[in-house]
mmCIF file of all heavy atoms in Angstrom:
data_model
loop_
_atom_site.group_PDB
_atom_site.id
_atom_site.type_symbol
_atom_site.label_atom_id
_atom_site.label_comp_id
_atom_site.label_asym_id
_atom_site.label_seq_id
_atom_site.Cartn_x
_atom_site.Cartn_y
_atom_site.Cartn_z
ATOM 1 N N ASP M 338 -24.288 -206.826 234.896
ATOM 2 C CA ASP M 338 -25.436 -207.556 234.420
ATOM 3 C C ASP M 338 -26.364 -206.564 233.745
ATOM 4 O O ASP M 338 -26.867 -205.645 234.325
ATOM 5 C CB ASP M 338 -26.225 -208.166 235.684
ATOM 6 C CG ASP M 338 -27.462 -208.947 235.289
ATOM 7 O OD1 ASP M 338 -27.869 -208.889 234.077
ATOM 8 O OD2 ASP M 338 -27.998 -209.566 236.135
ATOM 9 N N PRO M 339 -26.605 -206.688 232.439
ATOM 10 C CA PRO M 339 -27.349 -205.763 231.641
ATOM 11 C C PRO M 339 -28.765 -205.569 232.120
ATOM 12 O O PRO M 339 -29.386 -204.497 232.048
ATOM 13 C CB PRO M 339 -27.391 -206.392 230.276
ATOM 14 C CG PRO M 339 -26.209 -207.283 230.190
ATOM 15 C CD PRO M 339 -26.025 -207.778 231.566
ATOM 16 N N ASP M 340 -29.222 -206.665 232.789
ATOM 17 C CA ASP M 340 -30.657 -206.506 233.289
ATOM 18 C C ASP M 340 -30.760 -205.719 234.588
ATOM 19 O O ASP M 340 -31.831 -205.410 235.026
ATOM 20 C CB ASP M 340 -31.233 -207.953 233.488
ATOM 21 C CG ASP M 340 -31.328 -208.683 232.208
ATOM 22 O OD1 ASP M 340 -31.681 -208.076 231.180
ATOM 23 O OD2 ASP M 340 -31.157 -209.921 232.159
ATOM 24 N N GLU M 341 -29.604 -205.421 235.244
ATOM 25 C CA GLU M 341 -29.660 -204.675 236.435
ATOM 26 C C GLU M 341 -29.210 -203.178 236.225
ATOM 27 O O GLU M 341 -29.048 -202.389 237.144
ATOM 28 C CB GLU M 341 -28.709 -205.327 237.497
ATOM 29 C CG GLU M 341 -29.097 -206.727 237.812
ATOM 30 C CD GLU M 341 -30.422 -206.823 238.578
ATOM 31 O OE1 GLU M 341 -30.695 -205.865 239.312
ATOM 32 O OE2 GLU M 341 -31.222 -207.759 238.332
ATOM 33 N N VAL M 342 -28.766 -202.888 235.051
ATOM 34 C CA VAL M 342 -28.243 -201.536 234.709
ATOM 35 C C VAL M 342 -29.177 -200.408 235.088
ATOM 36 O O VAL M 342 -28.786 -199.377 235.732
ATOM 37 C CB VAL M 342 -27.784 -201.440 233.283
ATOM 38 C CG1 VAL M 342 -27.484 -199.985 232.882
ATOM 39 C CG2 VAL M 342 -26.566 -202.269 232.976
ATOM 40 N N ALA M 343 -30.406 -200.512 234.707
ATOM 41 C CA ALA M 343 -31.349 -199.473 235.072
ATOM 42 C C ALA M 343 -31.463 -199.165 236.537
ATOM 43 O O ALA M 343 -31.499 -197.997 236.940
ATOM 44 C CB ALA M 343 -32.734 -199.808 234.497
ATOM 45 N N GLY M 344 -31.424 -200.127 237.319
ATOM 46 C CA GLY M 344 -31.409 -199.933 238.832
ATOM 47 C C GLY M 344 -30.109 -199.372 239.282
ATOM 48 O O GLY M 344 -30.218 -198.616 240.295
ATOM 49 N N ASP M 345 -29.060 -199.674 238.667
ATOM 50 C CA ASP M 345 -27.737 -199.110 239.112
ATOM 51 C C ASP M 345 -27.672 -197.643 238.790
ATOM 52 O O ASP M 345 -27.185 -196.821 239.559
ATOM 53 C CB ASP M 345 -26.597 -199.800 238.359
ATOM 54 C CG ASP M 345 -26.358 -201.202 238.851
ATOM 55 O OD1 ASP M 345 -26.902 -201.606 239.840
ATOM 56 O OD2 ASP M 345 -25.610 -201.919 238.150
ATOM 57 N N ILE M 346 -28.193 -197.263 237.626
ATOM 58 C CA ILE M 346 -28.189 -195.854 237.108
ATOM 59 C C ILE M 346 -29.212 -195.006 237.761
ATOM 60 O O ILE M 346 -29.003 -193.890 238.181
ATOM 61 C CB ILE M 346 -28.242 -195.758 235.620
ATOM 62 C CG1 ILE M 346 -27.023 -196.516 234.968
ATOM 63 C CG2 ILE M 346 -28.343 -194.332 235.058
ATOM 64 C CD1 ILE M 346 -25.659 -195.902 235.316
ATOM 65 N N ASN M 347 -30.374 -195.583 237.883
ATOM 66 C CA ASN M 347 -31.518 -194.791 238.415
ATOM 67 C C ASN M 347 -32.167 -195.595 239.539
ATOM 68 O O ASN M 347 -33.375 -196.082 239.398
ATOM 69 C CB ASN M 347 -32.596 -194.494 237.354
ATOM 70 C CG ASN M 347 -32.040 -193.686 236.271
ATOM 71 O OD1 ASN M 347 -31.484 -192.595 236.460
ATOM 72 N ND2 ASN M 347 -32.165 -194.159 235.012
ATOM 73 N N PRO M 348 -31.554 -195.784 240.725
ATOM 74 C CA PRO M 348 -32.109 -196.586 241.746
ATOM 75 C C PRO M 348 -33.436 -196.075 242.267
ATOM 76 O O PRO M 348 -34.252 -196.869 242.768
ATOM 77 C CB PRO M 348 -31.023 -196.519 242.873
ATOM 78 C CG PRO M 348 -30.246 -195.322 242.546
ATOM 79 C CD PRO M 348 -30.300 -195.104 241.130
ATOM 80 N N GLU M 349 -33.682 -194.801 242.262
ATOM 81 C CA GLU M 349 -34.922 -194.268 242.822
ATOM 82 C C GLU M 349 -36.125 -194.652 241.931
ATOM 83 O O GLU M 349 -37.273 -194.618 242.407
ATOM 84 C CB GLU M 349 -34.915 -192.771 242.957
ATOM 85 C CG GLU M 349 -34.749 -191.920 241.665
ATOM 86 C CD GLU M 349 -33.372 -191.962 241.037
ATOM 87 O OE1 GLU M 349 -32.402 -192.346 241.725
ATOM 88 O OE2 GLU M 349 -33.306 -191.541 239.866
ATOM 89 N N SER M 350 -35.945 -195.039 240.712
ATOM 90 C CA SER M 350 -37.062 -195.352 239.843
ATOM 91 C C SER M 350 -37.200 -196.847 239.515
ATOM 92 O O SER M 350 -37.999 -197.260 238.729
ATOM 93 C CB SER M 350 -36.978 -194.595 238.458
ATOM 94 O OG SER M 350 -35.790 -195.011 237.828
ATOM 95 N N SER M 351 -36.358 -197.657 240.184
ATOM 96 C CA SER M 351 -36.459 -199.082 239.929
ATOM 97 C C SER M 351 -37.300 -199.689 241.035
ATOM 98 O O SER M 351 -37.280 -199.300 242.182
ATOM 99 C CB SER M 351 -35.091 -199.765 239.914
ATOM 100 O OG SER M 351 -34.401 -199.594 241.170
ATOM 101 N N PRO M 352 -38.022 -200.688 240.709
ATOM 102 C CA PRO M 352 -38.893 -201.301 241.683
ATOM 103 C C PRO M 352 -38.084 -202.104 242.763
ATOM 104 O O PRO M 352 -37.064 -202.626 242.448
ATOM 105 C CB PRO M 352 -39.794 -202.313 240.933
ATOM 106 C CG PRO M 352 -39.032 -202.556 239.636
ATOM 107 C CD PRO M 352 -38.213 -201.329 239.377
ATOM 108 N N ASN M 353 -38.606 -202.247 243.956
ATOM 109 C CA ASN M 353 -37.935 -202.996 244.968
ATOM 110 C C ASN M 353 -38.244 -204.482 244.731
ATOM 111 O O ASN M 353 -39.312 -204.860 244.389
ATOM 112 C CB ASN M 353 -38.503 -202.587 246.397
ATOM 113 C CG ASN M 353 -38.087 -201.190 246.759
ATOM 114 O OD1 ASN M 353 -37.086 -200.742 246.349
ATOM 115 N ND2 ASN M 353 -38.935 -200.555 247.474
ATOM 116 N N SER M 354 -37.216 -205.303 245.096
ATOM 117 C CA SER M 354 -37.455 -206.744 244.914
ATOM 118 C C SER M 354 -38.286 -207.185 246.139
ATOM 119 O O SER M 354 -38.109 -206.708 247.284
ATOM 120 C CB SER M 354 -36.091 -207.375 244.932
ATOM 121 O OG SER M 354 -36.178 -208.794 244.948
#
Side-chain angles (χ1 to χ4, degrees):
D338 182 351
D340 295 324
E341 301 294 326
V342 168
D345 291 346
I346 296 299
N347 299 308
E349 66 283 346
S350 64
S351 63
N353 292 330
S354 175

